[in-house]
């Protein structure tokens, strides 16, 4: 939740805290102030003069009335006239939208800073900097090391040039090359300027390999200055080269770049609101910021990785030529994808231009990892396994529907929402609370009037009895009470202060900013890691203590960029707790908390190079760069990591509460590796049609970033949605891993039961989602265990179709399902493309289960999509395990099984099913089921953590299910099997050796659908307790 998009946070606080009877007056006040702020200075003078004049006239009239009682009637008329004027003004104000309206998107904050990329007078480092020369080269077992020396006079363009550098090149794995350039001389005083500690993001380790086994080749040159090049050996394609450019390496600025091929295809470099394919006219700023999903702005997280997909036209003789305009749909193409990860947590900018890419950073190292691919799947898996870690597995219930609103005033309001979902038979798995529940917006304390603990306990007892769940929000900032004021006492702060848990100013006093509760401090994760201070212990303890009062099931972390509503340590003079840090003895004090740390010679507040930060300077709307950690390091070097560290602390705090259960966390600010501990939601989006579309590329990008548990604020957060938009959004989000509806206090209610059409659209989409929960859970498990993606772009699944390079208006859910949502207002049809047409891929309509006809390479097909339906298609060659839909995930898991097999053109299909207890961090037992209609497969190579392999196969008119693993508690029966694409007549169906009664199955010859029912009688012991084969002939 951001800061009301331009209004002061105190206005919202006043508006919220007033009693319901004063809400109209509060709304009038908020809108008046918002309207007044947007007046020109002259308009404000005229308005105030007019109001003052009206007041003077009224007073004069009252004075006159006292002397001339006969003028009472005239006075009444004048007073009525004045009241009428004020009511008219009130009506106008109430009709105006607040500045948070979705129709009034914000422009960049103007604090006087001019980003370098927008400054016509900015110096181009390439025109003045000398680059480096090789001083020595040594071959090693894994690659090369070398020293680099400045090739001429220092340019000192955006900092102080580093004279000597060290180069390390390692072939770390068969598919991974590491190129690192660091200052040769690094000491304790400047280590954090350049090095990202392994403790914060483990550095990929080199494996013992033969460099010749890699398809990547590294070469270097020293003419005219040092440069390097990475080439794909199998194609001769240059993937990255600094030839023709200078490497610039200063204490507060790094620049390097590479030429790029024509019309290149890059993906990643988040977080931002943009199409999936980034294009070649974009600057990506990586600096975590509380920004309400503004298009192309730097948003909440930083993920410095990109994937580069290149298409080659293949001749009849097999020769390949790069094609920047690969639009010949009669030609054959072959694609190759590689990845580049810059392991750097400092503020960065990546300039994508027509023929080159330039990487700039305000510190850190050149720490590059090249992943050879050659497909997106290979790159993403390698990136996660080697560099950032595999994503956390989620509990089964988290894949149900979640609902929240900022504005539920008490437990009764929340209970009413839960009841109405049940009355309208709309699934509800988890109800959430925004900051409404807090005692004056303070973490870990409930409002004693509106959200008392006793009523909360009773509410949660009822909720949990119904197998439903509860998640509260927890903000990053911790309220700082008035020193010595017993009425303002705040125990969590006091306990944290005792444990030296908070970040300070350079002089050792508390760094105090401002968030929702007022003046706030923030935990010092770095001091806890390197000095043993108490931030992590304190945070885990507070999470545990709060759970004793409110037995929540997960935590929603917000404002962790960090977000601060003021500049600098604005509360230090108001909340003076003296010097609180023991490190004060070795840190030179600063006379101004907003100025540079005097122990650090760098210009932290206004570095020489100005990035295009949405909030202006580095201190804009966040913690100042000189905020100091317990080990003496400063926020300048660690800003992008702070939010990730809060997620990590919360993960371990939840493990203290639930030692054996997978922690469920949804967080806003992320960095590379955050997926290991948390999911992410897309932040404060807008209730309009463009943002319905943007949710798709945003989700697909986070698939690349290793955070598959992703969703958006369904129906939009800011501004008021409408019936049609909310219907379409509830449908779309039903196929995202994380599915939640959430909106702003100033907007209208958007619970799906508000409108009949939205309720119906939601029920239908949810019925599909809940039936697919076994498939979704299995697909997500493969993301967790192997690094595959859950949501997938068409180009990733069909890599040799270049016309799909920009396709982001439809997507795949796993490998079996394709979703084609309606994204335009007023449409009851949608155009969709059906990939793989030239290679014989068959697609089946989810609803009528028949094969789609009249498709061709890259050809759009118009699809009927009435308001209550979202087009869904099943890909031939895949088998999908399912349950019966229900109102909770627990009820779904208790229902009978079914299997949907969609045969490919050869009459074959495969699929898998993962089963465990749905909650354990380390399941004691698990089962994998292989089901296929092809030659029986060996146990699936994907799951490697447990002995739990089972797969479905279909071939030669037979479906086989093979189980491996030891999970014994899944005893639901198999109800029915549906096979799509069956050719010819069927006269006999058998299950193992038993011939089925003719009444238990039916064959639709014209549509090729075989439906086999009544299998529950043959699977009394459970669908997966033993292997089985279903045959038809």
């Amino acid at each position: 939740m951001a800061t009301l998009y331009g209004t002061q946070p105190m206005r919202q606080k006043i508006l919220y805290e007033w009693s319901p009877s004063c809400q109209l007056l509060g709304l009038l006040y908020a809108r008046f102030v918002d309207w007044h702020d947007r007046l020109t200075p002259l308009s404000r003078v005229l308005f105030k003069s007019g109001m003052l004049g009206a007041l003077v006239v009224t007073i004069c009239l009252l004075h006159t009335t006292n002397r001339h009682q006969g003028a009472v009637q005239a006075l009444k008329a004048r007073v009525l006239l004045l009241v009428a004027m004020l009511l008219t003004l009130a009506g106008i104000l109430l009709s105006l939208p607040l500045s948070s309206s979705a129709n009034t998107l914000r422009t960049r904050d103007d604090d006087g800073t001019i980003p370098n990329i927008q400054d016509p007078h900015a110096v181009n480092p390439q025109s003045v900097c000398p680059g480096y020369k090789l001083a020595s080269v040594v071959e090693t077992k894994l690659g090369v090391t070398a020293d680099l020396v400045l090739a001429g006079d220092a340019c000192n363009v955006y900092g102080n040039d580093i004279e000597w550098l060290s180069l390390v090149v390692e072939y770390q794995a068969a598919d991974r090359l590491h190129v690192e350039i660091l200052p040769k001389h690094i000491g304790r005083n400047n280590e954090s300027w350049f090095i990202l500690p392994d403790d914060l993001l483990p550095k990929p380790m080199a494996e013992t390999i033969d460099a010749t086994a890699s398809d990547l080749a590294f070469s270097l040159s020293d003419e005219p200055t040092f440069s390097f090049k990475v080439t794909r050996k199998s194609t001769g394609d240059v993937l990255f080269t600094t030839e023709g450019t200078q490497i610039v390496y200063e204490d507060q600025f790094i620049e390097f770049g590479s030429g790029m091929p024509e019309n290149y295809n890059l993906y990643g470099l988040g977080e931002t609101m943009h199409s999936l394919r980034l294009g070649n006219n974009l600057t990506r700023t990586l600096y975590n910021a509380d920004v309400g999903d503004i298009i192309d702005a730097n948003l909440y997280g930083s993920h410095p990785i990109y994937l580069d997909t290149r298409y080659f036209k293949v001749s009849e003789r097999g020769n390949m030529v790069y094609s920047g305009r690969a639009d010949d749909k009669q030609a054959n193409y072959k694609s190759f994808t590689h990845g580049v990860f810059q392991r750097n947590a400092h503020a960065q900018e990546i300039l994508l231009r027509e023929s080159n890419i330039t990487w700039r950073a305000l510190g850190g190292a050149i720490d590059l990892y090249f992943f050879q691919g050659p497909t997106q799947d290979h790159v993403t898996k390698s990136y996660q396994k080697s560099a950032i870690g595999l994503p956390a597995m989620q509990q089964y219930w988290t894949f149900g529907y979640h609902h929240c609103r900022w504005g539920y005033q008490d437990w009764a309001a929340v209970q009413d929402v839960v009841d109405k979902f049940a009355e309208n038979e709309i699934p509800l798995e988890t109800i959430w609370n925004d900051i409404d529940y807090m005692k004056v917006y303070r973490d870990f304390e409930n409002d004693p009037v509106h959200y008392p603990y006793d009523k909360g306990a009773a509410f949660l007892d009822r909720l949990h009895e119904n197998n439903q769940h509860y998640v509260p929000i927890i903000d990053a900032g911790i309220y700082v009470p008035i020193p010595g004021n017993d009425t303002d006492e705040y125990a969590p702060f006091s306990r944290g202060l005792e444990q030296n848990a908070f970040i300070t100013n350079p002089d050792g006093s508390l760094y105090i900013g401002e968030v929702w509760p007022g003046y706030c401090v923030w935990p010092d994760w770095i001091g806890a890691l390197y000095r043993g201070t108490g931030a992590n212990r304190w945070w885990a303890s507070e999470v545990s203590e709060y759970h004793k009062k409110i037995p929540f099931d997960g935590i929603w972390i917000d404002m962790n960029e960090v977000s601060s509503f003021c500049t600098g340590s604005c509360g230090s003079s108001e909340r003076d707790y003296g010097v609180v840090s023991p490190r004060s003895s070795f840190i030179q004090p600063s006379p101004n908390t907003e100025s540079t740390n005097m122990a650090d010679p760098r210009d932290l507040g206004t570095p020489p190079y100005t990035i295009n930060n949405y909030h202006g300077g580095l201190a804009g709307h966040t913690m100042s760069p000189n905020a100091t950690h317990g080990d003496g390091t400063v926020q300048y070097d660690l800003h992008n990591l702070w939010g990730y560290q809060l997620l990590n602390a919360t993960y371990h705090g939840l493990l203290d509460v639930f030692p054996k259960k997978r922690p469920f966390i949804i967080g806003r600010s992320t960095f590379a590796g955050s997926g290991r501990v948390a999911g992410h939601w897309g932040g404060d989006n807008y209730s309009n049609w463009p943002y319905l579309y943007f949710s798709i590329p945003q989700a697909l990008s986070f698939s690349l970033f290793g955070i598959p548990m992703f969703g958006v604020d369904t129906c939009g957060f800011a501004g008021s949605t409408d019936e049609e938009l909310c219907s379409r959004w509830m449908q779309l989000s039903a196929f995202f891993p994380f599915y939640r509806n959430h909106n702003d206090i100033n907007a209208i209610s958007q619970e799906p039961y508000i409108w009949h059409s939205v309720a119906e659209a939601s029920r239908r989409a949810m019925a599909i989602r809940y039936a697919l929960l076994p498939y979704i859970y299995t697909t997500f498990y493969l993301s967790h265990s192997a690094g595959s993606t859950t949501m997938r772009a068409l180009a990733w699944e069909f890599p040799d179709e270049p016309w799909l390079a920009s396709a982001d208006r439809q997507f795949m859910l796993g490998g079996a399902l394709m979703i084609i949502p309606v994204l335009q207002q007023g449409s009851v049809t949608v155009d969709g493309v059906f990939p793989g047409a030239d290679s014989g891929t068959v697609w089946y309509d989810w609803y009528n289960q028949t094969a789609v006809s009249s498709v061709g390479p890259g050809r759009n097909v118009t699809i009927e999509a009435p308001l209550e339906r979202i087009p869904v298609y099943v890909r031939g060659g895949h088998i999908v395990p399912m349950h019966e839909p229900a109102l909770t995930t627990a009820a779904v898991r208790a229902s009978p099984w079914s299997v949907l097999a969609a045969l490919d053109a050869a009459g074959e299909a495969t699929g898998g099913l993962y089963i465990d207890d749905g909650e354990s961090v380390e399941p004691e037992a698990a089962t994998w089921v292989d089901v296929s209609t092809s030659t029986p497969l060996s146990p699936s190579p994907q799951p490697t953590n447990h002995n739990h392999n089972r797969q479905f196969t279909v071939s030669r008119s037979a479906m086989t299910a093979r189980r491996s693993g030891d999970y014994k508690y899944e005893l639901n029966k198999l109800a029915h099997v549906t096979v799509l694409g069956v050719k010819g007549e069927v006269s006999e169906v058998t299950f193992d050796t038993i011939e089925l009664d003719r009444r238990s199955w039916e064959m639709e010859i014209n549509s090729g659908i075989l439906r086999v029912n009544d299998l529950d009688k043959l699977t009394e012991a459970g669908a997966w307790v033993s292997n089985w084969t279903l045959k038809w002939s």
Side-chain angles (χ1 to χ4, degrees):
M1 181 185 341
T3 58
L4 291 182
Y5 312 105
T7 65
Q8 294 297 322
M10 190 55 66
R11 295 179 208 161
Q12 184 58 33
K13 189 172 181 180
I14 293 172
L15 171 61
Y16 174 74
E17 290 180 351
W18 283 351
S19 65
S21 62
C22 295
Q23 288 297 304
L24 180 60
L25 185 58
L27 181 59
L28 176 59
Y29 167 78
R31 299 203 175 191
F32 166 74
V33 176
D34 190 71
W35 168 77
H36 180 268
D37 284 352
R38 286 181 280 158
L39 293 176
T40 64
L42 178 60
S43 297
R44 292 183 188 181
V45 171
L46 292 174
F47 170 75
K48 291 176 181 178
S49 299
M51 293 300 293
L52 181 60
L55 179 61
V56 170
V57 169
T58 303
I59 293 174
C60 290
L61 287 172
L62 287 172
H63 181 67
T64 303
T65 301
N66 290 334
R67 293 183 296 169
H68 305 285
Q69 295 297 325
V72 171
Q73 296 302 321
L75 172 62
K76 288 182 178 179
R78 289 179 174 86
V79 171
L80 288 174
L81 177 61
L82 179 61
V83 170
M85 292 172 61
L86 291 174
L87 288 175
T88 301
L89 176 61
I92 294 172
L93 290 172
L94 288 172
S95 68
L96 292 173
L98 282 171
S99 58
S100 60
S101 168
N103 298 318
T104 311
L105 300 185
R106 295 172 292 164
T107 57
R108 184 181 181 274
D109 284 1
D110 184 7
D111 66 351
T113 60
I114 302 176
N116 182 277
I117 61 169
Q118 297 176 11
D119 184 356
H121 304 294
V123 177
N124 178 5
Q126 295 300 314
S127 66
V128 297
C129 294
Y132 289 82
K133 297 285 287 186
L134 283 167
S136 64
V137 180
V138 177
E139 293 189 4
T140 67
K141 287 184 178 181
L142 296 177
V144 172
T145 63
D147 288 338
L148 306 176
V149 64
L150 206 60
D153 293 337
C155 62
N156 297 330
V157 61
Y158 295 116
N160 300 303
D161 281 23
I162 308 297
E163 184 178 5
W164 285 92
L165 304 175
S166 294
L167 168 71
V168 176
V169 180
E170 297 175 314
Y171 288 91
Q172 291 192 333
D175 66 342
R176 186 175 77 252
L177 173 69
H178 178 215
V179 178
E180 183 176 43
I181 302 176
L182 275 170
K184 186 174 178 64
H185 306 291
I186 296 178
R188 176 65 184 88
N189 65 322
N190 68 352
E191 185 177 16
S192 66
W193 303 6
F194 305 108
I195 294 177
L196 173 55
D198 290 5
D199 297 316
L200 300 180
L201 182 66
K203 201 174 183 69
M205 301 298 295
E207 304 171 9
T208 303
I209 67 158
D210 179 2
T212 60
S214 175
D215 196 28
L216 299 177
F218 176 87
S219 60
L220 50 79
S221 172
D222 204 33
E223 294 297 332
T225 55
F226 168 75
S227 64
F228 70 88
K229 181 168 59 177
V230 178
T231 306
R232 187 184 297 277
K233 292 190 290 189
S234 60
T235 63
D237 187 28
V238 177
L239 306 185
F240 197 94
T241 177
T242 64
E243 291 178 345
T245 66
Q246 307 291 4
I247 291 177
V248 182
Y249 212 124
E250 300 174 340
D251 57 0
Q252 286 193 266
F253 181 76
I254 297 172
E255 177 174 297
F256 62 95
S258 172
M260 298 294 285
E262 177 192 10
N263 200 34
Y264 55 87
N265 305 291
L266 256 58
Y267 310 89
L269 298 177
E271 177 180 8
T272 191
M273 302 300 293
H274 194 83
S275 57
L276 179 63
R277 181 174 176 267
L278 297 178
N280 58 14
N281 185 24
L282 175 70
T283 297
R284 283 294 303 111
T285 301
L286 305 186
Y287 189 71
N288 296 0
D290 175 6
V291 177
D293 282 7
I294 301 300
I295 295 171
D296 286 345
N298 54 303
L299 300 186
Y300 316 102
S302 293
H303 296 273
I305 180 174
Y306 70 76
L307 273 67
D308 182 343
T309 297
R310 304 183 182 185
Y311 295 96
F312 293 79
K313 193 172 185 178
V314 183
S315 69
E316 293 182 357
R317 295 185 177 181
N319 297 322
M320 295 191 298
V321 178
Y322 174 78
S323 179
R325 305 288 175 183
D327 51 7
D328 182 357
K329 294 174 183 175
Q330 304 304 315
N332 292 323
Y333 293 95
K334 176 67 176 176
S335 77
F336 293 86
T337 296
H338 67 274
V340 180
F341 173 48
Q342 161 69 330
R343 187 179 173 274
N344 187 318
H346 280 75
Q348 299 174 66
E349 284 190 336
I350 303 92
L351 285 64
L352 307 182
R353 299 299 183 260
E354 185 174 3
S355 60
N356 63 286
I357 178 173
T358 300
W359 211 300
R360 295 172 175 171
L362 301 191
I366 299 175
D367 195 7
L368 296 168
Y369 295 83
F370 295 90
F371 301 92
Q372 74 177 31
T375 66
Q376 168 275 326
D377 185 59
H378 284 96
V379 172
T380 304
K381 287 178 177 176
S382 181
Y383 172 57
Q384 293 176 89
K385 290 178 179 179
S386 66
I388 64 169
L390 292 162
M393 186 61 185
Q394 300 294 332
Q395 296 186 58
Y396 199 98
W397 63 264
T398 65
F399 297 100
Y401 173 72
H402 304 251
H403 192 87
C404 182
R405 186 182 182 192
W406 180 17
Y408 292 142
Q409 294 186 351
D410 51 30
W411 286 121
V414 179
Q415 182 65 64
D416 183 61
V417 171
V418 173
D419 293 342
K420 285 181 178 176
F421 269 94
E423 291 169 9
N424 288 273
E425 297 185 329
I426 300 174
L428 174 65
E429 186 69 22
T430 308
I431 191 73
W432 296 48
N433 260 133
D434 209 313
I435 59 175
D436 314 278
Y437 80 89
M438 296 178 178
K439 178 182 178 182
V440 289
Y441 305 126
R442 301 177 186 184
D443 286 345
F444 307 119
E445 287 193 350
N446 275 37
D447 183 322
V449 176
H450 298 96
Y451 282 90
Y453 294 123
D454 56 345
K455 290 184 179 180
F459 166 76
L460 291 174
D461 282 345
R462 293 190 297 272
L463 196 73
H464 290 149
E465 286 174 4
N466 197 42
N467 293 312
Q468 293 172 299
H469 302 85
Y470 174 72
V471 174
I473 192 172
I474 295 180
D475 283 340
I478 300 298
Y479 175 69
V480 181
I482 301 171
N485 187 337
D486 293 341
T487 62
D488 198 37
E489 183 179 350
Y490 178 46
F493 168 80
S494 300
R495 290 190 288 261
L497 192 64
E498 290 174 359
Q499 299 186 54
N500 194 25
F502 305 125
I503 293 173
T504 71
N505 291 305
D507 63 2
S509 63
L510 287 175
Y511 182 97
I512 302 176
E514 183 183 11
V515 203
W516 294 112
Y519 292 126
C520 287
V521 291
W522 289 271
D524 179 9
W525 315 118
I526 306 303
L529 182 62
Y530 293 112
R531 291 278 300 217
T533 54
N536 292 73
R537 295 190 301 272
W538 162 79
W539 184 262
S541 176
E542 295 302 327
V543 169
S544 181
E545 287 301 311
Y546 183 62
H547 184 265
K548 294 176 183 177
K549 303 172 186 176
I550 296 294
F552 53 79
D553 301 288
I555 288 179
W556 171 20
I557 295 294
D558 196 12
M559 314 294 283
N560 60 323
E561 292 74 27
V562 298
S563 175
S564 178
F565 299 163
C566 69
T567 300
S569 187
C570 59
S572 291
S573 61
E574 300 292 330
R575 300 287 193 272
D576 186 3
Y577 281 82
V579 174
V580 300
S581 173
R583 63 177 177 275
S584 58
S585 59
F586 64 86
I587 291 182
Q588 189 172 358
S590 170
N592 185 335
T593 57
E594 294 182 33
S595 66
T596 300
N597 184 344
M598 294 177 65
D600 193 324
R602 297 174 298 170
D603 188 345
L604 303 181
T606 55
Y609 182 88
T610 303
I611 63 170
N612 188 27
N613 177 26
Y614 180 83
H615 289 304
L618 296 185
H621 211 84
T622 189
M623 195 183 302
S624 289
N626 72 333
T628 307
H629 300 274
D631 64 342
T633 57
V634 290
Q635 190 71 359
Y636 179 96
D637 299 315
L638 299 159
H639 169 87
N640 285 340
L641 292 163
W642 195 94
Y644 176 16
Q645 293 306 304
L646 174 54
L647 298 177
N648 183 64
T650 305
Y651 181 89
H652 291 283
L654 285 176
L655 283 178
D656 287 348
V657 175
F658 310 106
K660 294 185 178 181
K661 289 186 178 181
R662 304 162 196 163
F664 176 56
I665 306 166
I666 295 296
R668 194 169 73 175
S669 182
T670 61
F671 186 71
S674 294
R676 293 186 299 176
V677 295
H680 175 60
W681 98 102
D684 297 345
N685 60 4
Y686 296 85
S687 297
N688 60 35
W689 290 85
Y691 279 84
L692 173 65
Y693 151 72
F694 276 122
S695 63
I696 300 175
Q698 195 179 17
L700 295 174
S701 294
F702 272 89
S703 293
L704 300 179
F705 301 151
I707 306 181
M709 193 62 173
F710 177 88
V712 299
D713 280 350
T714 300
C715 299
F717 173 77
S720 291
T721 190
D722 61 55
E723 189 171 356
E724 181 188 5
L725 175 62
C726 199
S727 292
R728 293 304 190 187
W729 216 325
M730 288 293 293
Q731 293 170 340
L732 171 60
S733 289
F735 298 93
F736 281 36
F738 176 53
Y739 184 16
R740 186 187 72 166
N741 182 319
H742 173 234
N743 73 322
D744 182 16
I745 192 172
N746 295 305
I748 64 172
S749 296
Q750 60 185 38
E751 291 81 10
Y753 53 73
I754 296 291
W755 302 276
H756 173 77
S757 64
V758 179
E760 183 60 24
S762 300
R763 280 190 289 264
R764 294 192 183 198
M766 288 183 183
I768 300 174
R769 178 188 180 89
Y770 275 57
L772 288 171
L773 282 176
Y775 170 78
I776 295 172
Y777 190 72
T778 298
T779 303
F780 197 93
Y781 169 74
L782 295 178
S783 295
H784 159 72
S785 61
S788 59
T789 52
T790 297
M791 286 182 66
R792 305 174 186 178
L794 301 187
W796 306 344
E797 286 293 293
F798 299 89
D800 297 331
E801 299 189 24
W803 39 87
L804 300 176
S806 299
D808 57 7
R809 300 179 70 86
Q810 58 190 85
F811 61 94
M812 301 287 295
L813 180 59
L817 299 174
M818 182 169 65
I819 316 301
I820 308 179
V822 174
L823 303 174
Q824 290 184 326
Q825 186 175 13
S827 295
V828 292
T829 63
V830 61
D831 288 342
V833 64
F834 291 85
D838 55 344
S839 59
T841 300
V842 183
W843 294 96
Y844 298 90
D845 187 307
W846 173 270
Y847 300 97
N848 62 34
Q849 300 186 325
T850 60
V852 178
S853 58
S854 301
V855 298
R859 180 189 303 168
N860 275 321
V861 176
T862 300
I863 303 162
E864 296 295 323
L867 186 59
E868 69 277 4
R869 174 183 294 189
I870 179 172
V872 179
Y873 294 88
V874 185
R875 183 180 177 184
H878 290 262
I879 296 176
V880 180
M882 297 190 295
H883 273 305
E884 296 299 318
L887 296 181
T888 64
T889 60
V892 169
R893 288 203 72 170
S895 69
W897 289 93
S898 63
V899 175
L900 176 66
L903 304 184
D904 61 15
E908 300 184 349
T910 61
L913 170 64
Y914 174 74
I915 306 172
D916 65 9
D917 63 11
E919 64 179 27
S920 296
V921 176
E922 292 291 338
E924 295 181 0
T927 289
W928 182 273
V929 184
D930 284 332
V931 183
S932 77
T933 58
S934 60
T935 303
L937 299 178
S938 59
S940 169
Q942 299 273 25
T944 57
N945 297 340
H946 307 281
N947 178 25
H948 47 208
N949 299 313
R950 171 168 277 200
Q951 180 159 330
F952 304 86
T953 60
V954 176
S955 181
R956 302 184 185 92
S957 301
M959 175 185 295
T960 302
R962 294 180 175 272
R963 167 201 170 107
S964 61
D966 51 5
Y967 186 71
K968 302 177 181 179
Y969 304 103
E970 174 46 64
L971 303 177
N972 296 337
K973 304 171 185 177
L974 177 65
H976 55 269
V977 172
T978 302
V979 186
L980 311 181
V982 176
K983 298 178 180 178
E985 296 185 2
V986 173
S987 59
E988 180 180 276
V989 178
T990 62
F991 187 83
D992 285 337
T993 60
I994 301 173
E995 181 178 348
L996 301 184
D997 188 288
R998 183 63 183 81
R999 292 170 295 181
S1000 66
W1001 59 271
E1002 59 178 327
M1003 175 66 200
E1004 298 179 11
I1005 298 176
N1006 293 335
S1007 56
I1009 303 172
L1010 173 63
R1011 295 188 175 90
V1012 183
N1013 303 308
D1014 299 334
L1015 294 175
D1016 52 331
K1017 301 173 184 177
L1018 303 176
T1019 55
E1020 291 280 352
W1024 317 117
V1025 295
S1026 60
N1027 300 338
W1028 52 258
T1029 299
L1030 178 74
K1031 294 183 179 180
W1032 58 93
S1033 59

